[in-house]
Structures are given as structure tokens and as C-alpha cells.
Amino acid sequence: MSREQTFHPFARALHWLMSIMVLSMLFIGAGMVSTVAEKHDWLLAIHRPLGVVIFVLALIRLAFRLTHPAPPLPVDLPLWQKLAAHGSHLLLYALMIAMPLIGWGMLSAGNYPVTMFAGVHLPKILPTDPALFAWLRESHRYLAWLFFLTFLAHMGAALMHGLIRRDGVLQSMTGGKAPR
Amino acid sequence: MQDTENRRPPAHVGWRWALIGLAVAGSAVAFGYVGGWLAPERLSPKKIVDSLEANGGAHPGYRRNHAKGICVGGYFEGNGALQSFSSSAVFAKERTPVVGRLAIPGGNPYAADSSVPIRSFALRFDLADGEQWRTGMNAMPVFPVSTPQAFYDLQVATHPDPKTGKPDPAKAGAFFGAHPETGAFLGWAKTAKPPASYATETYQSINAFYLRDSAGERRAVRWKMVPETPETGDGSPAAGDTDYLAADLSKRLAAGPLRWHLIMTFAGDGDPIDDAAKAWPDDRKSVDAGTLVIDSWQDQATGPCRDVNYDPTILPKGIETSNDPLLAARSAAYADSYLRRTSEEGHLPGAARPKEAK
């Protein structure tokens, strides 16, 4: 083996931790805006601090990724799949960073307190502006949809690598051995 | 990566694809279910606001309920009496600025002030540390119903008949017959007259909340704003005047500030904490927590209250929501209404344009 075939253990740990967080976040968001039950309140209470944690972890992860290159894709992977892989990874990083910022900015523009937990809140990052609030709020919704669709493609592709091509790409993130 | 030149296709390739398809489709279905797209019968914030819109008419740019109102400004002067019961600084001996709104219920911004016997008062307290306390109070003793579903059913049952412009008495009667919890509210409404002034009303939190003290103890409360302004009894509005409330308020404020006392009432043993349709006995322990001073008013089209969502679950540390199911529903429905009117304000694609001056 001349090259690293798996992601760094730190990158793998962050990947799996954040996959749980981001997926939870998407489901929490979809659930809390569609229900009038009591869970609306506590889902909202989780949504804000969890978003901030994802934002911080995403920045750490981006810095780590920029300093620790990913294992190369298989040489025989069709070009369109290579492009799709890079494009979707880029999109996932962009969304992990943009979504919390839009959420934070939207609450700022709506002049809501950006509450993390009782008595602790983040500062405003945008001026109070109802039109800006509405644009950001709707961006947050549609980008959440895009995020979920990108996740579906990402998961489908990972399973395709692991079950159909069996080319070691899935193992580069699970840390297992590629089947011979 | 391993050398991929001599890889054989895997066994059961069809099953493998099926498994991948199942994982992707299963995730999508779960997301669709949680988001309500696969459960259209579920009561959603959108449904509640749609029902209000259906009853009040479409008025882009306006609130979907309490559409007719006026902005007021001033401050709350805490007196320290609640400091042993709540850790919130709002109850200390200090001034907290407020952005308020006085309004009448209903989704029609052109409704006559005499069309409904209820007056409403929303407040946002802006605490020095950036925390906020938002509340939406009503001048009535209890809420008609206990649950979001009953509130929605009430809107549907009181939908104006296109022929008469009034709710169908048979439908409304059937609703109230099926909902005995509306008895307390109906008993009050039977004799309630539309007040001639916002200034003389007592506004109630309706829902219960908890105060939490610095030791972590919590106590269930309801609060009310009790006016210092006496009812004069001579100022009944002129016949045909449909907008007397705003005129009365500006006249009074020109003469000086208006004051209310924030009275915090503590639940007794066995009092219903999570049921806004049930009153508490009158003899419960009450504490005067300070004075609300209102000294200015602004038109709601341009005033600072216009773009405030008076979500009653936005609370500072030291005040917490109860498990009253109406609270979460109010929060969810207000957010939906707020997004609708800010989208209209921001001319988002697909949003109706606010046509008239607000």
C-alpha cells in the first residue's frame, strides 16, 4: 500500500458523529414546524443549540479536511461519478456551515432572542428586518430540503460503493477492510 | 484503494440494489412522515392559521388574528416583590422597556370595535441582558377551549356562512354542545359587553406558567394586568363609531401615561395548571409585582409592534412554560402567521402583496 486508504480516525469519528447530528437536526426541523403538539417547544429548544454545535464542528472538520487530504477515489470510477462525489461533498460542507448561520441570522432579523438554554443566548448578527427574516426563513426551509436530498444521494452512493462496486470507498470511512 | 482490475461482480446484485433502494426510500418516507406530508390529517400550524384566515378574510401584511390593533410603548417598573419567587431581573426594582400592542381578536383589520367583547394586550419586555419576555393577554377570565384541536374545530364551527356573513348557529351550537369545557367562557361571554376603552380592562395571561426561583424551586402562576384607570361609565362610544378604541387611547395618552399593575397569582393545591378553560378560585395568593406604564402610541402600520411575533413561549430565565397544550400551539401558529405577513412584507415569490395602507 503506497497511499493511505482510509480517512484519518479523527475525520471518521467526526463524520459519524455529525451524520447523527445533522440527520437528527433535519428531522427535528421538519417535525417542529409541522406540529402544534408540546413537542414543538422542546424540539425548538434542542434545534438551536444543536445547530450551533454542528456549526462549530463543521468548521473544525473543514480545517482538518483541508490539512488532511481524503483517500483518492478508485481510478476506474467513471468521471461523472467522481464529479458527483466531489460536488456532493462540497455541497454537504457548504450546507453544514450555511444552515446554522442562516438560522442564527434569521432569528436575528426577526429580533428573536437566540436562546441556547435558559438565560444564555447568542448576540444578534443581523439588524431587525422583517423582509430579511422572511427571505432567510424560506432559504432555511429549501436548503434543508436540498440537504436531505444530498444526504440521500450520499448514503445511496456509499452503499453502492460498499455493496455493488465493493471498491473500498465505503471502508475508507468505516475503517474496515475492503473485500477482496 | 485496492486494485479493481480483476473484481468479479458480486452475487445477488439485484437484491443488493433493492437493499440500497430500500434504505434511500425508507429514509425519505420517514422524513415525509415526520414533516407531515404523509400525515395530512394531522393538525398543523398551517391548518390553524388557514382556519383563522378563512374566518377573517385575506388581508395580506396583517396578522392572521388580532389583525386590528395599535402599538403602544412604555416601561415596566418592577418592585422587587417577586424576587424570592423568580430569578428574573424583570422583577427587580428596575425599569424594563416594553413594546406593546392593544388589539381586538379576529383576522379582519376593518372589524368594528364593537364586534367582539374581548380586548387583547401583547407585550415584549426587553431585559437589559438581551433576554425577552413576550406575552399575549386577553381581557377575559378563561379561554373557551382546552386543546389546539378544539380551538381548530371552534374556528371551523364558527366559519361565517357566505349567505348571512354570520356563523351558522346550528353548527356553532353543536360545537358548544359537544364541548362542555366551553361553559365557563360562555357564562362570561353571555353578559360581556364590548368595552369602550383599552385603558380600563384587566388583561389575563390565560395560560399558566411557572416561576422558578434562584434555588430552583418552581411555582405555577397566572398573571394579569390590572388597570389603575377607573371605568367612567359615561363614555360609551357614539352610535356608528367603529374605531373608538384607538381614538380613546390617543386621547387618554395625550392627557398622561396609563398604568397597570402586574398581579401574579399562585396556583393552589389541585388547581388546573394545564387547562386554560378553567378558572382558579379568587382567593389564591397574589403578589403585585410592579407597574406597567404606557406613555406612547404608534400606528400599527409603522410602529415598532408591527414586526413582533408575540409568542408567549419566549421567556426569560426565571419564567417557564407550563404543559398547557395551547402554549406550544400558540407558538407554532404564531410563527406560521408571522412568516406569512413578513413574506408579504418582503415580497417573496408567491406571497400576496399588502395592498392597502396598514
Side-chain angles (χ1 to χ4, degrees):
Chain A
M1 245 192 277
S2 56
R3 286 172 306 190
E4 208 43 69
Q5 292 203 2
T6 57
F7 280 89
H8 188 281
F10 181 69
R12 294 207 303 269
L14 266 184
H15 169 274
W16 291 110
L17 177 67
M18 291 189 70
S19 69
I20 295 167
M21 286 183 167
V22 166
L23 210 52
S24 303
M25 199 64 177
L26 290 166
F27 275 83
I28 288 169
M32 75 189 190
V33 297
S34 65
T35 183
V36 295
E38 281 94 322
K39 55 179 174 281
H40 170 268
D41 281 357
W42 57 262
L43 289 173
L44 203 59
I46 296 170
H47 194 81
R48 286 183 304 254
L50 185 54
V52 171
V53 171
I54 290 173
F55 177 65
V56 172
L57 289 178
L59 292 180
I60 293 170
R61 199 169 153 195
L62 179 64
F64 192 84
R65 172 70 192 264
L66 293 175
T67 50
H68 300 72
L73 290 167
V75 282
D76 65 335
L77 194 67
L79 178 65
W80 74 269
Q81 289 188 27
K82 280 185 181 160
L83 290 174
H86 292 309
S88 62
H89 294 159
L90 204 63
L91 187 57
L92 288 169
Y93 270 96
L95 287 168
M96 281 191 295
I97 291 165
M99 279 294 277
L101 278 179
I102 293 171
W104 185 357
M106 142 194 142
L107 291 181
S108 305
N111 198 15
Y112 290 98
V114 190
T115 308
M116 293 294 101
F117 36 87
V120 177
H121 48 261
L122 300 179
K124 276 175 82 127
I125 54 171
L126 287 174
T128 302
D129 179 340
L132 184 60
F133 165 83
W135 280 102
L136 292 172
R137 172 65 186 82
E138 292 298 48
S139 307
H140 202 68
R141 178 202 313 273
Y142 292 109
L143 288 175
W145 277 98
L146 179 65
F147 210 158
F148 187 73
L149 291 173
T150 313
F151 152 75
L152 288 183
H154 181 74
M155 179 180 71
L159 291 172
M160 185 272 293
H161 281 287
L163 292 172
I164 309 290
R165 284 182 53 95
R166 297 186 301 162
D167 55 8
V169 169
L170 180 60
Q171 284 73 23
S172 71
M173 192 49 92
T174 58
K177 280 267 177 283
R180 296 302 309 189
Chain B
M1 294 295 144
Q2 68 176 69
D3 170 28
T4 50
E5 295 304 301
N6 50 15
R7 230 182 25 229
R8 286 191 312 275
H12 314 301
V13 77
W15 286 110
R16 288 167 183 258
W17 278 115
L19 192 66
I20 296 170
L22 192 69
V24 173
S27 305
V29 167
F31 193 64
Y33 175 76
V34 168
W37 301 283
L38 298 177
E41 76 292 340
R42 192 187 302 161
L43 183 60
S44 63
K46 181 181 181 302
K47 263 192 189 177
I48 288 186
V49 180
D50 284 346
S51 74
L52 291 165
E53 239 176 65
N55 290 4
H59 303 283
Y62 286 93
R63 284 169 163 79
R64 269 40 182 189
N65 194 6
H66 304 270
K68 186 184 188 182
I70 186 167
C71 295
V72 290
Y75 58 88
F76 174 72
E77 183 106 42
N79 61 14
L82 270 184
Q83 279 187 290
S84 51
F85 300 105
S86 169
S87 57
S88 179
V90 77
F91 300 122
K93 287 183 185 169
E94 57 184 61
R95 281 187 183 191
T96 302
V98 298
V99 172
R101 188 171 179 273
L102 289 156
I104 62 171
N108 177 7
Y110 308 107
D113 289 345
S114 56
S115 62
V116 56
I118 300 164
R119 309 293 179 233
S120 306
F121 200 175
L123 286 169
R124 189 188 75 209
F125 299 74
D126 292 318
L127 281 67
D129 68 352
E131 286 187 287
Q132 295 177 11
W133 176 16
R134 301 186 187 188
T135 177
M137 301 170 289
N138 289 298
M140 60 193 195
V142 287
F143 204 66
V145 292
S146 310
T147 63
Q149 184 66 51
F151 179 77
Y152 174 77
D153 294 344
L154 172 63
Q155 301 314 308
V156 174
T158 54
H159 180 64
D161 189 321
K163 287 194 207 73
T164 63
K166 291 209 165 11
D168 174 348
K171 271 190 196 155
F175 173 86
F176 289 115
H179 287 268
E181 78 273 20
T182 54
F185 174 82
L186 291 177
W188 170 80
K190 203 174 291 174
T191 57
K193 301 266 182 298
S197 176
Y198 282 129
T200 55
E201 291 302 288
T202 295
Y203 299 91
Q204 316 252 8
S205 69
I206 305 291
N207 309 106
F209 295 78
Y210 287 101
L211 295 185
R212 196 179 287 274
D213 65 23
S214 37
E217 283 290 308
R218 68 172 201 180
R219 297 171 185 86
V221 292
R222 288 175 177 172
W223 60 78
K224 56 190 175 193
M225 286 286 181
V226 179
E228 278 188 7
T229 314
E231 278 201 69
T232 45
D234 60 5
S236 57
D241 183 357
T242 57
D243 301 322
Y244 52 83
L245 286 172
D248 169 85
L249 187 78
S250 68
K251 196 175 84 193
R252 287 177 188 268
L253 284 175
L258 296 166
R259 289 184 173 79
W260 281 264
H261 287 257
L262 173 60
I263 306 295
M264 196 63 72
T265 301
F266 291 80
D269 285 344
D271 286 349
I273 308 300
D274 302 330
D275 189 347
K278 291 198 177 73
W280 291 352
D282 287 334
D283 62 355
R284 293 300 180 239
K285 172 184 159 169
S286 288
V287 174
D288 184 337
T291 310
L292 175 73
V293 180
I294 295 297
D295 53 15
S296 69
W297 68 273
Q298 303 84 24
D299 192 284
Q300 72 157 347
T302 50
C305 75
R306 187 191 72 181
D307 300 318
V308 181
N309 167 2
Y310 288 100
D311 174 342
T313 66
I314 295 177
L315 302 163
K317 185 174 175 285
I319 310 177
E320 295 165 18
T321 52
S322 65
N323 292 322
D324 182 336
L326 291 172
L327 278 172
R330 284 176 76 184
S331 176
Y334 288 21
D336 189 284
S337 166
Y338 185 69
L339 178 57
R340 291 187 198 201
R341 57 195 168 88
T342 53
S343 296
E344 288 152 3
E345 204 59 50
H347 304 314
L348 264 68
R353 295 293 172 105
K355 280 188 285 288
E356 53 272 290
K358 287 197 299 293

